[in-house]
Structures are given as structure tokens and as C-alpha cells.
Amino acid sequence: RDVERSRGLGDVYKRQMYSSTQYGRFTIIPLLIIGLIVHFFSNDLIWQALSMDALFLLLIFMFYKLRIEVYSDKIKLIYGIGIIRITFKIISYSSVQQIKTPWYYGYGIRITPIGWLYNIQGPHAVILKYEGENNTRNEFSIGTQFPERLEACIENTFIYKP
């Protein structure tokens, strides 16, 4: 678990520098409530109720947690059971800072006025401006319960280039 085989680099391993998992109470509970309401109001059509149950269970399994992993060359975000995996290859960063997102930015994967936001619960996030593959400049925010730890890890792992 501490190492991941790098694709295309033979037997070179990348070291995991940080890992954090948070569970989305505010994602799971509303989906359960809506799923139960839909289930009880569609009692005439059993196939409709079962298909809606399956859909809400799939959504819960896809978004019940967010795991953040920082490696020596990338940041990986893994939602739920791992169907949704997002990887950012990072060459260097120009800015990293803690922010508080407003409640109306929501949860999950969102486009916001500050760029893409990946979160599962709470208002705390870290916004990262970085240089990726092909010298492209990008920015995104990661919601986390430990923004100071994630910020420190990014500062200590990647090269700062203003």
C-alpha cells in the first residue's frame, strides 16, 4: 500500500507521502432519505422501486468516501469504492493555500468560480495551482478535514516554482 508501480517506468516505484480518508455523512444521509421516499411512493410498480433502489445504492457506494493520496509525482483522489479515480500529475506548484468553501458549492465533483472542487464533506479545502504534463497550468481544490496537513505535504513534496 505504501508504494505504487509507475506505468511506463519499469520497476521504478513512487513513494506515497500522504493518505487521508473522509466519509461523507452529508452525502450518504440525503441519498438514503431520498431513496427511501422514492421506494415507498412507488409501491405499485415493484420493478420501478427496485431499479430506483439499485440506483441510489450505486450512488451511495460511489460517493460515500473520498481518499486523498499524495505521491512524489502526483495526487490521486478516489471516491467511494474506486469507480471514480482522478489523478493529477504534478511537475511543480505555484500556489497552495487553505480555503473555506461556502455551503452552496455543494459536495462531490463540482465546477465553481475558483475552479474544480473535489470534496465529500465540510467547508475546508486546499486550493492548488500547479504545472502539469505538457507544461500546462491548472488549478483545483480538494476538500479535506485536515487542510493544514495536506497543505504541508504538498509544500514538502512538490517543487515550488512561482
Side-chain angles (χ1 to χ4, degrees), residues 8-61:
L9 295 177
D11 292 325
V12 176
Y13 288 88
K14 301 297 178 184
R15 187 165 168 250
Q16 185 175 5
M17 313 302 276
Y18 174 87
S19 180
S20 173
T21 301
Q22 55 186 331
Y23 296 89
R25 292 187 309 258
F26 298 119
T27 305
I28 296 169
I29 294 170
L31 283 173
L32 280 174
I33 291 170
I34 293 169
L36 288 172
I37 290 170
V38 168
H39 177 81
F40 287 116
F41 282 107
S42 61
N43 55 2
D44 292 339
L45 302 170
I46 191 71
W47 63 269
Q48 184 182 24
L50 291 176
S51 62
M52 292 304 291
D53 291 346
L55 174 68
F56 280 100
L57 279 175
L58 178 65
L59 286 172
I60 288 170
F61 284 125

Side-chain angles (χ1 to χ4, degrees), residues 3 7-8 16-17 21 29 33 36-38 57 64 69 96 103-104 110-112 132 146 153 162:
V3 294
R7 292 191 177 129
Q16 185 175 5
M17 313 302 276
T21 301
I29 294 170
I33 291 170
L36 288 172
I37 290 170
V38 168
L57 279 175
Y64 78 97
E69 297 177 349
V96 60
W103 64 269
Y104 52 85
R110 307 275 184 180
I111 186 73
T112 67
F146 305 114
C153 178

Side-chain angles (χ1 to χ4, degrees), residues 98-151:
Q98 299 176 41
I99 59 169
K100 277 189 104 168
T101 59
W103 64 269
Y104 52 85
Y105 280 9
Y107 301 115
I109 302 170
R110 307 275 184 180
I111 186 73
T112 67
I114 58 172
W116 283 99
L117 172 64
Y118 304 91
N119 69 350
I120 203 78
Q121 178 178 324
H124 303 286
V126 172
I127 186 166
L128 174 65
K129 295 179 183 177
Y130 72 99
E131 183 179 328
E133 294 178 319
N134 302 325
N135 296 326
T136 57
R137 294 219 173 258
N138 302 302
E139 72 179 90
F140 66 93
S141 302
I142 305 172
T144 177
Q145 58 199 20
F146 305 114
E148 59 283 335
R149 291 182 193 171
L150 181 57
E151 180 184 31

